[in-house]
């Protein structure tokens, strides 16, 4: 995922840009670059690979002094990772950095070619730069507005012009971009950590808004050049949240932050031992009258939604459909004003999820966002919001955000069940209490590092593995499998244990690792039968189970006894 930083002020801009980019490294990238305005010229340097390569190039002579510039870390989408494809793109007149995708770039490229433009990179960004050059006749705002009228897609742009040495222009459509406000200095960034060292104050740029930054001023315009007044935001994270604090990497830090994140999320939502969601706009009357619930999200957040489906359907007996946002928004879903659409997102900015939310609203459904980032686009667009309080999640591979999303799904299910008279107040209090025990259970597991390292050592050389489970165990397996793929690059698939026999079981080979999850008493024996099936074909099974039963087959690689979030469903029977 790409990162954008821009700086205008009195400091050495190169230093600030490199520092800001280093704070965005966690997003993953394959090349980086900066453009700095220096003595009436745009000076650009780019390098494939790590930021260090860019720094080496800069200290090897391509050094330049300036107080205004833009920087970028690129994750290749259009064209391979290379110096040429790295951002910024532009010419002697202007330079741009870009996040997102310009969908109609091929058409624009053809028409620019007819106008005599030539292209050196394979990127869609270069097309935006050349199109801007085409429209630029001395008025940057005019040119940017023209470009926005032609390009389609979701994107965020940071732009500098040679003729405007102390100014950064920024615009966005769907891809997130913030404008940081300092003392005698201002910033643009794709994410807050890039500027936290310098300021906690920032504006959220909206789609089709244009920001003009000088060191002492920030101006916002709409596409008709009208001035827009915006409300300043203050990040409630400190620098510590953006530092690893002794952990090897952010993901590990965030895994260890799960207990506190869950406590912080649940504490304000429990009153007299019962779920209390009034402050989120969810009064009992609103919550009582839905025919159907849809949960829409992407990636990890969608997996938290699958857990939500199982728990809500089990307790509340309302049909719940879980949708991947990028499918939902294009499949013409059947939703009405009698339905509740729950949107889950850590960032609150994921383009497909936001589009799905807008579609649901358009069709008249009530919308509830479960979001981590306060004031994010999804939080502002939804009718009701439950903020998760996971704190800043820097690792792209989500961990603590998933845990708090799951916790909120449970709490919401308890609340819905109570007000729809599906459970008694005593039962609800009992469930809520047990949910509140989860942070200490997680803390205990986090102490079991050696055991987890042992399991990892058994899996590290696998080419492929399967997660199997039923019901909630299957839901949790989906997230386990995604995490494994994302982090270790080992192929894995989560499969409903009972479905294996209908074809997929033929993939099991001698010594193939299979992680079987069996935490629900009611499904335990059924999953054990499936474990026997894969063992008969030579699989090395690692069993995660909270159920104490003599029916566990012998000769398993490892049995992990656990009581974890998913075990909560056992309470529901
Ligand atoms: C993906 C991340 O890009 O976006 C996932 O890798 C995340 O971890 C997904 O779950 C959705 O993001 P968000 O911010 O909408 O929860």
């Amino acid at each position: 995922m790409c990162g954008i930083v821009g700086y205008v002020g009195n400091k050495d801009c190169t230093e600030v840009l490199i520092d800001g980019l280093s704070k965005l490294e966690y997003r993953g990238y394959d090349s980086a670059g900066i453009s700095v305005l220096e003595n009436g010229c745009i000076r650009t340097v780019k390098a494939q690979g790590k930021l260090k390569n860019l720094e080496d190039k800069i200290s090897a002579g391509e050094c330049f002094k300036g107080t205004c510039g833009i920087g970028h870390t690129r994750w290749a989408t259009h064209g391979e990772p290379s110096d040429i494809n790295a951002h910024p793109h532009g010419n002697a007149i202007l330079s741009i950095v870009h996040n997102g995708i310009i969908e109609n770039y091929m058409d624009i490229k053809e028409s620019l070619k007819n106008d005599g433009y030539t292209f050196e990179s394979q990127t869609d960004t270069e097309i935006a730069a050349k199109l801007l050059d085409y429209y630029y006749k001395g008025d940057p705002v005019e040119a940017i507005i023209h470009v926005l009228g032609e390009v389609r897609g979701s994107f965020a742009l940071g732009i500098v012009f040679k003729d405007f040495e102390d100014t950064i222009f920024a615009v966005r459509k769907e891809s997130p971009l913030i404008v940081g406000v300092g003392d005698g200095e201002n910033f643009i960034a794709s994410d807050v950590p890039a500027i936290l060292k310098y300021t906690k104050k920032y504006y959220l740029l909206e789609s089709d808004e244009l920001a003009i930054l000088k060191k002492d001023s920030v101006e916002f315009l709409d596409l008709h050049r009208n001035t827009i007044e915006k409300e300043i935001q203050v990040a409630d994270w400190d620098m510590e949240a953006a530092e690893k604090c002794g952990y090897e990497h952010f993901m590990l830090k965030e895994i260890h932050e799960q207990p506190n994140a869950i406590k912080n999320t649940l504490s304000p939502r429990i009153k007299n031992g019962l779920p209390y969601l009034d402050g989120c706009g969810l009064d009992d009357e609103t919550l009582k009258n839905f025919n159907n619930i849809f949960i829409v999200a992407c990636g990890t957040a969608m997996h938290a939604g699958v857990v939500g489906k199982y728990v809500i359907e089990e307790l509340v007996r309302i049909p719940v459909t879980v949708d991947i946002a990028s499918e939902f928004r294009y499949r013409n879903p059947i939703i009405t004003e009698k339905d509740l659409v729950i949107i889950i997102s850590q960032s609150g900015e994921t383009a497909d999820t936001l589009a799905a939310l807008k579609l649901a609203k358009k069709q008249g459904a009530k919308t509830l966002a479960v979001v981590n980032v306060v004031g994010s686009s999804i939080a502002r667009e939804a009718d009701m919001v439950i903020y998760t309080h996971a704190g800043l999640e820097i690792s792209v591979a989500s961990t603590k955000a998933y845990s708090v999303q799951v916790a909120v799904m449970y709490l919401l299910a308890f609340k819905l069940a109570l007000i729809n008279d599906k459970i008694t107040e005593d039962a609800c209090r009992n469930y809520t209490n047990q949910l509140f025990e989860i942070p200490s259970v997680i803390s205990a597991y986090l102490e079991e590092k050696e055991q987890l390292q042992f399991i990892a050592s058994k899996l590290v050389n696998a080419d492929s593995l399967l997660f199997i489970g039923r019901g909630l165990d299957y839901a949790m397996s989906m997230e386990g499998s995604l995490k494994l793929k994302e982090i270790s690059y080992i192929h894995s698939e989560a499969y409903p244990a009972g479905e294996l026999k209908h074809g997929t079981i033929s993939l099991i080979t001698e010594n193939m690792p299979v992680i079987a999850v069996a935490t629900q008493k009611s499904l335990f024996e059924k999953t054990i039968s499936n474990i026997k099936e894969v063992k008969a074909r030579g699989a090395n099974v690692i069993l995660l189970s909270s159920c104490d039963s003599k029916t566990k087959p012998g000769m398993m690689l490892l049995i992990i006894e656990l009581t974890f979030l998913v075990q909560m469903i056992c309470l529901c029977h």
Side-chain angles (χ1 to χ4, degrees):
M1 262 142 288
C2 307
I4 288 179
V5 182
Y7 175 77
V8 54
N10 294 316
K11 296 193 174 92
D12 174 2
C13 157
T14 305
E15 231 178 275
V16 180
L17 293 178
I18 297 288
D19 178 62
L21 291 179
S22 74
K23 297 290 187 305
L24 296 177
E25 277 191 295
Y26 68 87
R27 299 176 68 87
Y29 66 104
D30 46 47
S31 56
I34 59 170
S35 282
V36 172
L37 289 156
E38 183 195 50
N39 299 328
C41 292
I42 297 176
R43 306 276 316 271
T44 298
V45 58
K46 320 198 260 188
Q48 188 189 336
K50 290 287 164 204
L51 215 47
K52 171 86 175 54
N53 299 353
L54 181 68
E55 288 179 86
D56 287 348
K57 256 189 173 177
I58 292 170
S59 48
E62 293 199 42
C63 172
F64 28 81
K65 292 281 169 218
T67 55
C68 177
I70 49 178
H72 192 260
T73 45
R74 172 174 187 255
W75 179 263
T77 55
H78 295 62
E80 64 193 5
S82 68
D83 286 6
I84 286 185
N85 286 333
H87 302 201
H89 287 274
N91 54 22
I93 310 285
L94 59 91
S95 184
I96 78 169
V97 288
H98 161 223
N99 278 6
I101 288 175
I102 293 167
E103 285 166 359
N104 57 337
Y105 80 103
M106 286 306 282
D107 293 344
I108 298 173
K109 189 172 186 174
E110 280 318 302
S111 102
L112 285 169
K113 273 184 181 170
N114 293 337
D115 285 308
Y117 281 90
T118 55
F119 296 86
E120 59 175 18
S121 81
Q122 297 142 313
T123 64
D124 50 346
T125 309
E126 190 186 3
I127 277 83
K130 297 270 157 81
L131 189 63
L132 197 55
D133 179 71
Y134 175 80
Y135 283 120
Y136 180 61
K137 308 277 181 272
D139 179 349
V141 173
E142 186 72 26
I144 293 168
I145 290 172
H146 271 297
V147 168
L148 289 182
E150 266 188 51
V151 294
R152 284 200 310 273
S154 64
F155 48 83
L157 302 175
I159 312 163
V160 289
F161 290 81
K162 168 182 88 75
D163 303 335
F164 295 80
E165 194 156 346
D166 59 352
T167 314
I168 299 174
F169 298 85
V171 71
R172 83 167 183 111
K173 196 171 190 118
E174 291 172 15
S175 286
L177 200 68
I178 58 162
V179 174
V181 184
D183 188 9
E185 57 186 6
N186 292 311
F187 307 80
I188 57 166
S190 48
D191 213 346
V192 177
I195 59 163
L196 261 188
K197 182 172 163 186
Y198 307 96
T199 182
K200 283 185 171 188
K201 290 193 233 156
Y202 64 95
Y203 292 102
L204 289 159
L205 198 62
E206 300 288 345
S207 282
D208 293 330
E209 284 180 0
L210 216 150
I212 304 168
L213 291 78
K214 294 178 189 290
K215 67 177 183 180
D216 294 317
S217 67
V218 180
E219 192 187 353
F220 297 99
L221 300 178
D222 67 15
L223 297 187
H224 304 286
R225 300 185 84 128
N226 300 312
T227 304
I228 303 168
E229 294 300 327
K230 291 180 75 71
E231 195 184 328
I232 204 150
Q233 313 283 323
V234 182
D236 55 1
W237 305 311
D238 50 23
M239 269 305 289
E240 202 175 281
E243 301 289 346
K244 289 184 212 142
C245 298
Y247 287 99
E248 236 170 283
H249 48 78
F250 282 112
M251 187 171 165
L252 201 56
K253 180 186 176 211
E254 287 158 11
I255 286 171
H256 283 85
E257 285 171 346
Q258 288 176 95
N260 270 342
I262 298 178
K263 255 186 233 158
N264 294 342
T265 299
L266 293 179
S267 297
R269 312 273 155 62
I270 299 175
K271 206 171 169 181
N272 301 325
L274 293 171
Y276 174 74
L277 299 171
D278 291 18
C280 313
L282 292 129
D283 58 87
D284 290 5
E285 226 28 62
T286 315
L287 283 179
K288 249 182 189 168
N289 295 314
F290 296 116
N291 288 348
N292 299 287
I293 295 178
F294 292 83
I295 302 179
V296 189
C298 296
T300 293
M302 189 274 292
H303 293 155
V306 180
V307 174
K309 171 187 166 73
Y310 280 104
V311 187
I312 295 170
E313 285 193 341
E314 174 72 34
L315 284 181
V316 194
R317 313 308 297 157
I318 293 180
V320 181
T321 306
V322 182
D323 259 285
I324 294 169
S326 56
E327 290 295 314
F328 180 86
R329 64 181 287 199
Y330 297 118
R331 77 169 168 82
N332 198 6
I334 305 163
I335 39 180
T336 71
E337 59 280 1
K338 293 292 286 173
D339 297 333
L340 171 67
V341 175
I342 303 174
I343 299 285
I344 309 179
S345 174
Q346 187 284 126
S347 62
E349 299 294 344
T350 304
D352 285 321
T353 313
L354 179 60
L357 164 61
K358 288 181 177 165
L359 176 72
K361 273 182 83 174
K362 205 165 147 197
Q363 299 201 13
K366 268 258 179 255
T367 55
L368 163 65
V370 178
V371 173
N372 195 42
V373 178
V374 175
S376 54
S377 304
I378 289 174
R380 281 174 291 130
E381 186 77 29
D383 299 317
M384 303 164 287
V385 188
I386 301 179
Y387 279 116
T388 52
H389 299 302
L392 183 61
E393 189 174 65
I394 291 210
S395 167
V396 172
S398 186
T399 53
K400 61 175 179 173
Y402 172 76
S403 308
V404 294
Q405 287 160 355
V406 168
V408 166
M409 287 297 107
Y410 273 95
L411 200 66
L412 184 62
F414 301 161
K415 176 77 184 173
L416 284 166
L418 180 66
I419 59 171
N420 284 290
D421 296 324
K422 301 292 181 189
I423 55 173
T424 63
E425 207 173 284
D426 279 353
C428 188
R429 197 167 271 123
N430 181 23
Y431 290 158
T432 310
N433 276 344
Q434 297 204 40
L435 184 62
F436 206 67
E437 291 299 309
I438 295 301
S440 51
V441 177
I442 296 180
S443 295
Y445 278 109
L446 292 174
E447 298 291 310
E448 312 262 331
K449 206 166 120 199
E450 282 71 31
Q451 193 187 27
L452 299 175
Q453 274 168 342
F454 172 74
I455 304 165
S457 73
K458 297 289 168 202
L459 299 178
V460 71
N461 292 321
D463 294 326
S464 179
L465 60 85
L466 277 185
F467 283 76
I468 60 170
R470 289 169 179 254
L472 269 172
D473 293 330
Y474 169 56
M476 191 181 74
S477 296
M478 291 167 92
E479 177 55 13
S481 173
L482 173 64
K483 223 73 309 166
L484 189 84
K485 279 184 277 221
E486 215 175 349
I487 296 306
S488 67
Y489 302 164
I490 296 173
H491 169 259
S492 83
E493 223 176 304
Y495 224 76
E499 180 65 10
L500 270 178
K501 55 184 168 293
H502 301 295
T504 306
I505 201 154
S506 56
L507 287 178
I508 305 282
T509 50
E510 196 64 29
N511 294 328
M512 181 178 178
V514 171
I515 299 179
V517 188
T519 66
Q520 301 152 92
K521 283 199 186 82
S522 60
L523 295 169
F524 183 70
E525 285 181 10
K526 299 233 169 281
T527 306
I528 293 296
S529 305
N530 302 127
I531 292 173
K532 286 179 179 160
E533 286 165 10
V534 295
K535 277 181 63 60
R537 284 161 180 79
N540 267 336
V541 176
I542 295 171
L543 172 65
L544 279 76
S545 176
S546 57
C547 306
D548 183 25
S549 164
K550 305 216 169 0
T551 54
K552 284 174 194 164
M555 297 295 288
M556 258 178 293
L557 190 57
L558 195 76
I559 298 180
I560 305 169
E561 301 286 346
L562 87 171
T563 45
F564 201 60
L565 269 184
V566 290
Q567 199 200 356
M568 289 297 296
I569 196 69
C570 304
L571 304 169
C572 307
H573 288 289

